[in-house]
mmCIF file of all heavy atoms in Angstrom:
data_model
loop_
_atom_site.group_PDB
_atom_site.id
_atom_site.type_symbol
_atom_site.label_atom_id
_atom_site.label_comp_id
_atom_site.label_asym_id
_atom_site.label_seq_id
_atom_site.Cartn_x
_atom_site.Cartn_y
_atom_site.Cartn_z
ATOM 1 N N GLU C 1 14.810 14.947 24.438
ATOM 2 C CA GLU C 1 13.661 14.074 23.898
ATOM 3 C C GLU C 1 12.379 14.787 23.898
ATOM 4 O O GLU C 1 11.506 14.399 23.044
ATOM 5 C CB GLU C 1 13.530 12.876 24.935
ATOM 6 C CG GLU C 1 13.024 13.257 26.316
ATOM 7 C CD GLU C 1 13.087 12.021 27.219
ATOM 8 O OE1 GLU C 1 12.073 11.207 27.376
ATOM 9 O OE2 GLU C 1 14.202 11.874 27.928
ATOM 10 N N ASP C 2 12.216 15.883 24.769
ATOM 11 C CA ASP C 2 10.959 16.644 24.594
ATOM 12 C C ASP C 2 10.890 17.444 23.336
ATOM 13 O O ASP C 2 9.738 17.502 22.756
ATOM 14 C CB ASP C 2 10.799 17.555 25.829
ATOM 15 C CG ASP C 2 10.870 16.808 27.152
ATOM 16 O OD1 ASP C 2 9.973 15.922 27.320
ATOM 17 O OD2 ASP C 2 11.618 17.173 28.073
ATOM 18 N N ILE C 3 11.990 17.879 22.935
ATOM 19 C CA ILE C 3 12.043 18.659 21.585
ATOM 20 C C ILE C 3 11.836 17.698 20.418
ATOM 21 O O ILE C 3 11.216 18.087 19.531
ATOM 22 C CB ILE C 3 13.413 19.393 21.590
ATOM 23 C CG1 ILE C 3 13.614 20.315 22.816
ATOM 24 C CG2 ILE C 3 13.384 20.274 20.323
ATOM 25 C CD1 ILE C 3 12.494 21.337 23.017
ATOM 26 N N LEU C 4 12.534 16.531 20.569
ATOM 27 C CA LEU C 4 12.346 15.433 19.517
ATOM 28 C C LEU C 4 10.865 15.069 19.418
ATOM 29 O O LEU C 4 10.277 14.707 18.304
ATOM 30 C CB LEU C 4 13.285 14.382 19.678
ATOM 31 C CG LEU C 4 14.728 14.600 19.515
ATOM 32 C CD1 LEU C 4 15.493 13.360 19.882
ATOM 33 C CD2 LEU C 4 15.056 15.119 18.132
ATOM 34 N N LEU C 5 10.154 15.058 20.530
ATOM 35 C CA LEU C 5 8.803 14.555 20.616
ATOM 36 C C LEU C 5 8.014 15.623 19.719
ATOM 37 O O LEU C 5 6.954 14.997 19.049
ATOM 38 C CB LEU C 5 8.264 14.492 22.038
ATOM 39 C CG LEU C 5 6.893 14.154 22.203
ATOM 40 C CD1 LEU C 5 6.569 12.735 21.648
ATOM 41 C CD2 LEU C 5 6.545 14.217 23.737
ATOM 42 N N ILE C 6 8.175 16.796 19.839
ATOM 43 C CA ILE C 6 7.506 17.778 18.971
ATOM 44 C C ILE C 6 7.743 17.479 17.629
ATOM 45 O O ILE C 6 6.758 17.479 16.792
ATOM 46 C CB ILE C 6 8.016 19.262 19.320
ATOM 47 C CG1 ILE C 6 7.551 19.581 20.810
ATOM 48 C CG2 ILE C 6 7.388 20.287 18.438
ATOM 49 C CD1 ILE C 6 8.300 20.753 21.324
ATOM 50 N N GLU C 7 8.931 17.429 17.036
ATOM 51 C CA GLU C 7 9.383 17.034 15.699
ATOM 52 C C GLU C 7 8.591 15.690 15.236
ATOM 53 O O GLU C 7 8.008 15.670 14.092
ATOM 54 C CB GLU C 7 10.755 16.864 15.588
ATOM 55 C CG GLU C 7 11.178 16.803 14.151
ATOM 56 C CD GLU C 7 12.763 16.629 14.003
ATOM 57 O OE1 GLU C 7 13.488 17.199 14.931
ATOM 58 O OE2 GLU C 7 13.225 16.217 12.886
ATOM 59 N N PHE C 8 8.548 14.663 16.175
ATOM 60 C CA PHE C 8 7.964 13.416 15.772
ATOM 61 C C PHE C 8 6.396 13.559 15.705
ATOM 62 O O PHE C 8 5.807 13.026 14.783
ATOM 63 C CB PHE C 8 8.334 12.424 16.862
ATOM 64 C CG PHE C 8 7.795 11.004 16.688
ATOM 65 C CD1 PHE C 8 8.316 10.224 15.661
ATOM 66 C CD2 PHE C 8 6.699 10.667 17.482
ATOM 67 C CE1 PHE C 8 7.751 8.988 15.451
ATOM 68 C CE2 PHE C 8 6.221 9.276 17.296
ATOM 69 C CZ PHE C 8 6.647 8.496 16.242
ATOM 70 N N ASN C 9 5.927 14.297 16.548
ATOM 71 C CA ASN C 9 4.425 14.553 16.542
ATOM 72 C C ASN C 9 4.022 15.220 15.272
ATOM 73 O O ASN C 9 2.985 14.842 14.651
ATOM 74 C CB ASN C 9 4.079 15.391 17.788
ATOM 75 C CG ASN C 9 2.558 15.452 17.953
ATOM 76 O OD1 ASN C 9 1.743 15.435 17.038
ATOM 77 N ND2 ASN C 9 2.200 15.742 19.176
ATOM 78 N N GLU C 10 4.820 16.284 14.865
ATOM 79 C CA GLU C 10 4.559 16.960 13.664
ATOM 80 C C GLU C 10 4.646 15.966 12.400
ATOM 81 O O GLU C 10 3.854 16.157 11.464
ATOM 82 C CB GLU C 10 5.582 18.114 13.413
ATOM 83 C CG GLU C 10 5.281 18.986 12.280
ATOM 84 C CD GLU C 10 6.276 20.189 12.262
ATOM 85 O OE1 GLU C 10 7.335 20.080 12.791
ATOM 86 O OE2 GLU C 10 5.872 21.242 11.662
ATOM 87 N N PHE C 11 5.694 15.151 12.432
ATOM 88 C CA PHE C 11 5.783 14.107 11.379
ATOM 89 C C PHE C 11 4.590 13.246 11.260
ATOM 90 O O PHE C 11 3.915 13.034 10.151
ATOM 91 C CB PHE C 11 7.049 13.258 11.680
ATOM 92 C CG PHE C 11 7.082 11.925 10.910
ATOM 93 C CD1 PHE C 11 7.348 11.878 9.570
ATOM 94 C CD2 PHE C 11 6.761 10.715 11.582
ATOM 95 C CE1 PHE C 11 7.454 10.700 8.966
ATOM 96 C CE2 PHE C 11 6.855 9.515 10.880
ATOM 97 C CZ PHE C 11 7.185 9.585 9.656
ATOM 98 N N LEU C 12 4.054 12.731 12.444
ATOM 99 C CA LEU C 12 2.843 11.823 12.426
ATOM 100 C C LEU C 12 1.634 12.649 11.940
ATOM 101 O O LEU C 12 0.889 12.151 11.123
ATOM 102 C CB LEU C 12 2.545 11.478 13.897
ATOM 103 C CG LEU C 12 3.348 10.219 14.394
ATOM 104 C CD1 LEU C 12 2.993 9.876 15.804
ATOM 105 C CD2 LEU C 12 3.037 9.047 13.519
ATOM 106 N N ARG C 13 1.508 13.937 12.459
ATOM 107 C CA ARG C 13 0.384 14.710 12.086
ATOM 108 C C ARG C 13 0.229 14.944 10.520
ATOM 109 O O ARG C 13 -0.841 14.768 9.963
ATOM 110 C CB ARG C 13 0.375 16.021 12.821
ATOM 111 C CG ARG C 13 -0.787 16.923 12.545
ATOM 112 C CD ARG C 13 -0.680 18.193 13.413
ATOM 113 N NE ARG C 13 -1.796 19.050 13.136
ATOM 114 C CZ ARG C 13 -1.725 20.076 12.231
ATOM 115 N NH1 ARG C 13 -0.569 20.228 11.721
ATOM 116 N NH2 ARG C 13 -2.734 20.948 12.155
ATOM 117 N N GLU C 14 1.421 15.183 9.906
ATOM 118 C CA GLU C 14 1.452 15.307 8.454
ATOM 119 C C GLU C 14 1.025 14.088 7.790
ATOM 120 O O GLU C 14 0.277 14.177 6.805
ATOM 121 C CB GLU C 14 2.742 15.880 8.058
ATOM 122 C CG GLU C 14 3.085 17.308 8.389
ATOM 123 C CD GLU C 14 4.561 17.749 8.187
ATOM 124 O OE1 GLU C 14 5.283 16.832 7.692
ATOM 125 O OE2 GLU C 14 4.853 18.906 8.410
ATOM 126 N N ARG C 15 1.484 13.011 8.190
ATOM 127 C CA ARG C 15 1.153 11.726 7.550
ATOM 128 C C ARG C 15 -0.259 11.381 7.657
ATOM 129 O O ARG C 15 -0.954 10.935 6.669
ATOM 130 C CB ARG C 15 2.032 10.603 8.125
ATOM 131 C CG ARG C 15 3.543 10.622 7.778
ATOM 132 C CD ARG C 15 3.786 10.487 6.227
ATOM 133 N NE ARG C 15 5.098 10.293 5.895
ATOM 134 C CZ ARG C 15 5.700 9.196 5.732
ATOM 135 N NH1 ARG C 15 5.103 8.029 5.852
ATOM 136 N NH2 ARG C 15 7.029 9.155 5.333
ATOM 137 N N LEU C 16 -0.832 11.555 8.857
ATOM 138 C CA LEU C 16 -2.141 11.195 9.119
ATOM 139 C C LEU C 16 -3.243 12.093 8.432
ATOM 140 O O LEU C 16 -4.359 11.738 8.216
ATOM 141 C CB LEU C 16 -2.440 11.106 10.669
ATOM 142 C CG LEU C 16 -1.735 9.937 11.352
ATOM 143 C CD1 LEU C 16 -1.891 10.075 12.919
ATOM 144 C CD2 LEU C 16 -2.217 8.697 10.890
ATOM 145 N N MET C 17 -2.911 13.340 8.242
ATOM 146 C CA MET C 17 -3.732 14.300 7.611
ATOM 147 C C MET C 17 -4.021 13.789 6.150
ATOM 148 O O MET C 17 -5.095 14.165 5.684
ATOM 149 C CB MET C 17 -3.194 15.651 7.604
ATOM 150 C CG MET C 17 -3.322 16.399 8.911
ATOM 151 S SD MET C 17 -2.595 17.996 8.886
ATOM 152 C CE MET C 17 -3.886 18.908 8.035
ATOM 153 N N GLU C 18 -3.255 12.976 5.712
ATOM 154 C CA GLU C 18 -3.407 12.478 4.235
ATOM 155 C C GLU C 18 -4.350 11.358 4.232
ATOM 156 O O GLU C 18 -4.912 11.053 3.159
ATOM 157 C CB GLU C 18 -2.062 11.966 3.618
ATOM 158 C CG GLU C 18 -1.068 13.219 3.494
ATOM 159 C CD GLU C 18 0.291 12.661 3.124
ATOM 160 O OE1 GLU C 18 0.558 11.365 2.860
ATOM 161 O OE2 GLU C 18 1.201 13.502 2.938
ATOM 162 N N CYS C 19 -4.643 10.706 5.245
ATOM 163 C CA CYS C 19 -5.510 9.473 5.268
ATOM 164 C C CYS C 19 -6.649 9.432 6.252
ATOM 165 O O CYS C 19 -7.511 8.557 6.279
ATOM 166 C CB CYS C 19 -4.643 8.264 5.303
ATOM 167 S SG CYS C 19 -3.626 8.133 6.810
ATOM 168 N N ILE C 20 -6.605 10.334 7.259
ATOM 169 C CA ILE C 20 -7.722 10.393 8.306
ATOM 170 C C ILE C 20 -8.267 11.750 8.341
ATOM 171 O O ILE C 20 -7.646 12.649 8.656
ATOM 172 C CB ILE C 20 -7.214 10.007 9.648
ATOM 173 C CG1 ILE C 20 -6.637 8.566 9.609
ATOM 174 C CG2 ILE C 20 -8.366 10.132 10.619
ATOM 175 C CD1 ILE C 20 -6.030 8.045 10.974
ATOM 176 N N ASN C 21 -9.494 11.846 7.900
ATOM 177 C CA ASN C 21 -10.169 13.192 7.892
ATOM 178 C C ASN C 21 -10.524 13.733 9.260
ATOM 179 O O ASN C 21 -10.554 14.959 9.457
ATOM 180 C CB ASN C 21 -11.428 13.164 6.899
ATOM 181 C CG ASN C 21 -11.082 12.977 5.617
ATOM 182 O OD1 ASN C 21 -9.965 13.266 5.015
ATOM 183 N ND2 ASN C 21 -11.913 12.243 4.827
ATOM 184 N N SER C 22 -10.915 12.788 10.146
ATOM 185 C CA SER C 22 -11.292 13.393 11.477
ATOM 186 C C SER C 22 -10.137 13.856 12.427
ATOM 187 O O SER C 22 -9.269 13.006 12.718
ATOM 188 C CB SER C 22 -12.114 12.177 12.198
ATOM 189 O OG SER C 22 -12.327 12.442 13.542
ATOM 190 N N GLN C 23 -10.226 15.087 12.739
ATOM 191 C CA GLN C 23 -9.101 15.465 13.613
ATOM 192 C C GLN C 23 -9.137 14.740 14.906
ATOM 193 O O GLN C 23 -8.094 14.453 15.560
ATOM 194 C CB GLN C 23 -9.481 17.000 13.850
ATOM 195 C CG GLN C 23 -8.295 17.606 14.854
ATOM 196 C CD GLN C 23 -8.573 19.088 15.082
ATOM 197 O OE1 GLN C 23 -9.640 19.700 14.716
ATOM 198 N NE2 GLN C 23 -7.681 19.614 15.666
ATOM 199 N N ARG C 24 -10.332 14.468 15.427
ATOM 200 C CA ARG C 24 -10.392 13.748 16.806
ATOM 201 C C ARG C 24 -9.859 12.412 16.591
ATOM 202 O O ARG C 24 -9.031 11.993 17.469
ATOM 203 C CB ARG C 24 -11.892 13.676 17.091
ATOM 204 C CG ARG C 24 -12.141 12.873 18.532
ATOM 205 C CD ARG C 24 -13.583 12.858 18.931
ATOM 206 N NE ARG C 24 -13.749 12.197 20.110
ATOM 207 C CZ ARG C 24 -14.952 11.985 20.713
ATOM 208 N NH1 ARG C 24 -16.017 12.329 20.086
ATOM 209 N NH2 ARG C 24 -14.997 11.420 21.880
ATOM 210 N N GLU C 25 -10.057 11.701 15.494
ATOM 211 C CA GLU C 25 -9.440 10.406 15.361
ATOM 212 C C GLU C 25 -7.983 10.406 15.131
ATOM 213 O O GLU C 25 -7.208 9.637 15.614
ATOM 214 C CB GLU C 25 -10.118 9.664 14.154
ATOM 215 C CG GLU C 25 -11.503 9.229 14.360
ATOM 216 C CD GLU C 25 -11.630 8.394 15.497
ATOM 217 O OE1 GLU C 25 -10.892 7.377 15.683
ATOM 218 O OE2 GLU C 25 -12.612 8.527 16.435
ATOM 219 N N ARG C 26 -7.497 11.511 14.427
ATOM 220 C CA ARG C 26 -6.031 11.678 14.265
ATOM 221 C C ARG C 26 -5.347 11.961 15.649
ATOM 222 O O ARG C 26 -4.211 11.291 15.825
ATOM 223 C CB ARG C 26 -5.796 12.901 13.366
ATOM 224 C CG ARG C 26 -5.993 12.668 11.863
ATOM 225 C CD ARG C 26 -5.366 13.691 11.044
ATOM 226 N NE ARG C 26 -5.688 15.088 11.374
ATOM 227 C CZ ARG C 26 -6.625 15.726 10.822
ATOM 228 N NH1 ARG C 26 -7.288 15.260 9.944
ATOM 229 N NH2 ARG C 26 -6.900 17.017 11.251
ATOM 230 N N GLN C 27 -5.862 12.702 16.430
ATOM 231 C CA GLN C 27 -5.372 13.002 17.707
ATOM 232 C C GLN C 27 -5.275 11.844 18.693
ATOM 233 O O GLN C 27 -4.383 11.629 19.406
ATOM 234 C CB GLN C 27 -6.117 14.161 18.434
ATOM 235 C CG GLN C 27 -6.127 15.487 17.772
ATOM 236 C CD GLN C 27 -4.687 16.228 17.973
ATOM 237 O OE1 GLN C 27 -3.737 15.502 18.136
ATOM 238 N NE2 GLN C 27 -4.802 17.517 18.046
ATOM 239 N N LYS C 28 -6.329 10.989 18.641
ATOM 240 C CA LYS C 28 -6.306 9.729 19.327
ATOM 241 C C LYS C 28 -5.231 8.741 18.951
ATOM 242 O O LYS C 28 -4.580 8.204 19.693
ATOM 243 C CB LYS C 28 -7.748 9.051 19.231
ATOM 244 C CG LYS C 28 -8.830 9.700 20.058
ATOM 245 C CD LYS C 28 -10.122 9.159 19.681
ATOM 246 C CE LYS C 28 -10.177 7.643 19.942
ATOM 247 N NZ LYS C 28 -11.605 7.178 19.679
ATOM 248 N N LEU C 29 -5.067 8.645 17.654
ATOM 249 C CA LEU C 29 -3.901 7.845 17.104
ATOM 250 C C LEU C 29 -2.546 8.340 17.386
ATOM 251 O O LEU C 29 -1.584 7.650 17.789
ATOM 252 C CB LEU C 29 -4.238 7.556 15.574
ATOM 253 C CG LEU C 29 -3.285 6.515 14.990
ATOM 254 C CD1 LEU C 29 -3.321 5.185 15.710
ATOM 255 C CD2 LEU C 29 -3.566 6.445 13.391
ATOM 256 N N ILE C 30 -2.415 9.709 17.177
ATOM 257 C CA ILE C 30 -1.110 10.315 17.505
ATOM 258 C C ILE C 30 -0.773 10.080 18.953
ATOM 259 O O ILE C 30 0.380 9.732 19.298
ATOM 260 C CB ILE C 30 -1.119 11.754 17.187
ATOM 261 C CG1 ILE C 30 -1.178 12.011 15.699
ATOM 262 C CG2 ILE C 30 0.061 12.483 17.865
ATOM 263 C CD1 ILE C 30 -1.359 13.470 15.321
ATOM 264 N N TYR C 31 -1.670 10.246 19.944
ATOM 265 C CA TYR C 31 -1.473 10.145 21.296
ATOM 266 C C TYR C 31 -1.159 8.626 21.668
ATOM 267 O O TYR C 31 -0.184 8.335 22.347
ATOM 268 C CB TYR C 31 -2.692 10.490 22.115
ATOM 269 C CG TYR C 31 -2.371 10.519 23.580
ATOM 270 C CD1 TYR C 31 -1.629 11.544 24.152
ATOM 271 C CD2 TYR C 31 -2.751 9.320 24.513
ATOM 272 C CE1 TYR C 31 -1.323 11.545 25.464
ATOM 273 C CE2 TYR C 31 -2.423 9.390 25.781
ATOM 274 C CZ TYR C 31 -1.735 10.451 26.263
ATOM 275 O OH TYR C 31 -1.423 10.412 27.684
ATOM 276 N N LYS C 32 -1.875 7.639 20.974
ATOM 277 C CA LYS C 32 -1.516 6.222 21.148
ATOM 278 C C LYS C 32 -0.123 5.921 20.753
ATOM 279 O O LYS C 32 0.614 5.161 21.413
ATOM 280 C CB LYS C 32 -2.601 5.449 20.321
ATOM 281 C CG LYS C 32 -2.428 3.938 20.642
ATOM 282 C CD LYS C 32 -3.488 3.217 19.924
ATOM 283 C CE LYS C 32 -3.387 1.721 20.081
ATOM 284 N NZ LYS C 32 -4.493 0.924 19.357
ATOM 285 N N ILE C 33 0.309 6.462 19.551
ATOM 286 C CA ILE C 33 1.644 6.171 19.093
ATOM 287 C C ILE C 33 2.692 6.815 19.858
ATOM 288 O O ILE C 33 3.773 6.136 20.166
ATOM 289 C CB ILE C 33 1.728 6.592 17.639
ATOM 290 C CG1 ILE C 33 0.796 5.786 16.696
ATOM 291 C CG2 ILE C 33 3.305 6.517 17.039
ATOM 292 C CD1 ILE C 33 0.704 6.158 15.249
ATOM 293 N N ILE C 34 2.651 8.059 20.148
ATOM 294 C CA ILE C 34 3.651 8.744 20.923
ATOM 295 C C ILE C 34 3.760 8.233 22.419
ATOM 296 O O ILE C 34 4.861 8.539 23.028
ATOM 297 C CB ILE C 34 3.509 10.326 20.938
ATOM 298 C CG1 ILE C 34 2.315 10.712 21.634
ATOM 299 C CG2 ILE C 34 3.509 10.846 19.446
ATOM 300 C CD1 ILE C 34 2.201 12.257 21.830
ATOM 301 N N SER C 35 2.822 7.647 22.810
ATOM 302 C CA SER C 35 2.912 7.040 24.148
ATOM 303 C C SER C 35 3.429 5.606 24.238
ATOM 304 O O SER C 35 3.713 5.133 25.383
ATOM 305 C CB SER C 35 1.364 6.887 24.738
ATOM 306 O OG SER C 35 0.676 8.241 24.813
ATOM 307 N N ARG C 36 3.730 5.194 23.181
ATOM 308 C CA ARG C 36 4.284 3.687 23.082
ATOM 309 C C ARG C 36 5.664 3.828 23.830
ATOM 310 O O ARG C 36 6.539 4.660 23.625
ATOM 311 C CB ARG C 36 4.517 3.248 21.667
ATOM 312 C CG ARG C 36 3.199 2.779 21.052
ATOM 313 C CD ARG C 36 3.347 2.567 19.546
ATOM 314 N NE ARG C 36 4.439 1.493 19.327
ATOM 315 C CZ ARG C 36 4.176 0.128 18.899
ATOM 316 N NH1 ARG C 36 2.955 -0.076 18.474
ATOM 317 N NH2 ARG C 36 5.211 -0.592 18.641
ATOM 318 N N GLY C 37 6.089 2.698 24.480
ATOM 319 C CA GLY C 37 7.400 2.560 25.124
ATOM 320 C C GLY C 37 8.416 2.613 24.059
ATOM 321 O O GLY C 37 9.603 3.263 24.388
ATOM 322 N N ASP C 38 8.350 1.897 23.022
ATOM 323 C CA ASP C 38 9.559 1.899 21.994
ATOM 324 C C ASP C 38 9.723 3.193 21.476
ATOM 325 O O ASP C 38 10.934 3.493 21.135
ATOM 326 C CB ASP C 38 9.369 0.771 20.982
ATOM 327 C CG ASP C 38 8.014 0.810 20.261
ATOM 328 O OD1 ASP C 38 7.172 1.757 20.721
ATOM 329 O OD2 ASP C 38 7.680 0.028 19.306
ATOM 330 N N ILE C 39 8.695 3.998 21.310
ATOM 331 C CA ILE C 39 8.824 5.311 20.708
ATOM 332 C C ILE C 39 9.648 6.208 21.722
ATOM 333 O O ILE C 39 10.627 6.850 21.323
ATOM 334 C CB ILE C 39 7.479 5.885 20.305
ATOM 335 C CG1 ILE C 39 6.841 5.128 19.096
ATOM 336 C CG2 ILE C 39 7.671 7.337 19.998
ATOM 337 C CD1 ILE C 39 7.550 5.206 17.762
ATOM 338 N N SER C 40 9.103 6.254 22.798
ATOM 339 C CA SER C 40 9.762 6.955 24.007
ATOM 340 C C SER C 40 11.202 6.664 24.147
ATOM 341 O O SER C 40 12.033 7.465 24.363
ATOM 342 C CB SER C 40 8.978 6.768 25.215
ATOM 343 O OG SER C 40 9.563 7.493 26.408
ATOM 344 N N GLU C 41 11.490 5.291 24.125
ATOM 345 C CA GLU C 41 12.897 4.894 24.301
ATOM 346 C C GLU C 41 13.816 5.364 23.289
ATOM 347 O O GLU C 41 14.946 5.779 23.541
ATOM 348 C CB GLU C 41 12.828 3.379 24.371
ATOM 349 C CG GLU C 41 14.259 2.808 24.755
ATOM 350 C CD GLU C 41 14.590 3.097 26.221
ATOM 351 O OE1 GLU C 41 13.706 3.392 27.021
ATOM 352 O OE2 GLU C 41 15.921 3.351 26.461
ATOM 353 N N ASN C 42 13.411 5.360 22.010
ATOM 354 C CA ASN C 42 14.189 5.895 20.886
ATOM 355 C C ASN C 42 14.334 7.292 20.847
ATOM 356 O O ASN C 42 15.443 7.744 20.634
ATOM 357 C CB ASN C 42 13.599 5.427 19.617
ATOM 358 C CG ASN C 42 14.035 3.971 19.240
ATOM 359 O OD1 ASN C 42 15.186 3.636 18.984
ATOM 360 N ND2 ASN C 42 13.019 3.027 19.457
ATOM 361 N N LEU C 43 13.366 8.036 21.366
ATOM 362 C CA LEU C 43 13.542 9.554 21.441
ATOM 363 C C LEU C 43 14.399 9.823 22.670
ATOM 364 O O LEU C 43 15.198 10.855 22.486
ATOM 365 C CB LEU C 43 12.075 10.149 21.734
ATOM 366 C CG LEU C 43 11.120 10.121 20.472
ATOM 367 C CD1 LEU C 43 9.753 10.711 20.852
ATOM 368 C CD2 LEU C 43 11.770 10.708 19.278
ATOM 369 N N LYS C 44 14.333 9.060 23.702
ATOM 370 C CA LYS C 44 15.291 9.329 24.810
ATOM 371 C C LYS C 44 16.893 9.106 24.318
ATOM 372 O O LYS C 44 17.692 9.813 24.768
ATOM 373 C CB LYS C 44 15.016 8.384 25.931
ATOM 374 C CG LYS C 44 13.827 8.730 26.811
ATOM 375 C CD LYS C 44 13.659 7.685 27.925
ATOM 376 C CE LYS C 44 12.462 8.102 28.760
ATOM 377 N NZ LYS C 44 12.216 7.149 29.878
ATOM 378 N N LYS C 45 16.991 8.182 23.463
ATOM 379 C CA LYS C 45 18.392 8.014 22.817
ATOM 380 C C LYS C 45 18.643 8.862 21.883
ATOM 381 O O LYS C 45 19.852 8.935 21.318
ATOM 382 C CB LYS C 45 18.382 6.562 22.165
ATOM 383 C CG LYS C 45 18.160 5.391 23.296
ATOM 384 C CD LYS C 45 18.173 4.046 22.382
ATOM 385 C CE LYS C 45 18.001 2.990 23.346
ATOM 386 N NZ LYS C 45 17.862 1.608 22.619
ATOM 387 N N GLY C 46 17.782 9.797 21.349
ATOM 388 C CA GLY C 46 17.951 10.764 20.369
ATOM 389 C C GLY C 46 17.830 10.175 18.890
ATOM 390 O O GLY C 46 18.199 10.829 18.017
#
């Protein structure tokens, strides 16, 4: 799940770079999304 988290984070980053210019805002949103319980649970399941 740790390795999948990296891939998932990369996916989010690429998507957000298209619509959020601020790096700081992108990082805040990425952290908020990857910290969600449902995201974590699905990554644990692979």
Side-chain angles (χ1 to χ4, degrees):
E1 67 188 271
D2 299 313
I3 305 305
L4 290 177
L5 179 60
I6 296 170
E7 185 179 340
F8 180 72
N9 190 333
E10 187 176 23
F11 161 78
L12 276 179
R13 182 172 177 270
E14 289 175 355
R15 289 296 186 97
L16 291 174
M17 285 180 72
E18 297 174 3
C19 57
I20 299 178
N21 292 326
S22 167
Q23 181 181 6
R24 184 177 179 182
E25 291 303 313
R26 286 199 304 269
Q27 293 287 29
K28 284 172 62 178
L29 183 54
I30 288 171
Y31 187 80
K32 183 177 180 180
I33 293 173
I34 68 175
S35 300
R36 287 173 57 115
D38 51 356
I39 296 293
S40 178
E41 189 62 32
N42 280 289
L43 293 179
K44 284 181 181 179
K45 294 176 182 177

